[in-house]
Amino acid sequence: MSVNGGRPAARDERRAAFCPVECGRCGAGVLAAKFSPQHTSVQWSAEAVRACVEFSAAWSLGRPSALVEGCGSLRDSIDAAVMAGRLEVSPPLEVTPP
């Protein structure tokens, strides 16, 4: 793939850091990446949103999942995965523009 007048596009290295994580409370499976101790990115599937106890509780109260800030149980599971070495804290690579 090329952009900017035929120069190759920079590869987005952040995708390589995503790993599957399963919630210890409800078993919802997501893809998670840690870019710093404070920065976590989570990719939810529709199936995981339906399985999540906290998202289901919000939905039953009429709140759409897009307005749910996150799931505390999943956050705990992600932290446990980091502590166990199953999920690395991988800062995104800085890409210098050509």
Side-chain angles (χ1 to χ4, degrees), residues 1-97:
M1 172 191 266
S2 64
V3 294
N4 298 330
R7 285 183 245 147
R11 184 171 165 233
D12 186 353
E13 295 293 336
R14 292 173 293 177
R15 293 212 179 269
F18 278 88
C19 295
V21 176
E22 189 172 289
C23 179
R25 181 176 181 194
C26 67
V30 300
L31 292 176
K34 293 285 289 177
F35 299 119
S36 73
Q38 300 82 17
H39 181 181
T40 304
S41 181
V42 178
Q43 294 181 349
W44 288 84
S45 66
E47 182 181 338
V49 170
R50 285 190 300 272
C52 176
V53 173
E54 294 185 39
F55 275 77
S56 295
W59 184 81
S60 70
L61 297 173
R63 291 182 61 207
S65 64
L67 298 180
V68 178
E69 202 168 303
C71 172
S73 298
L74 180 65
R75 186 173 24 257
D76 292 344
S77 297
I78 291 170
D79 290 344
V82 170
M83 295 295 290
R86 295 187 314 269
L87 179 63
E88 291 184 33
V89 178
S90 306
L93 296 178
E94 290 187 30
V95 178
T96 307

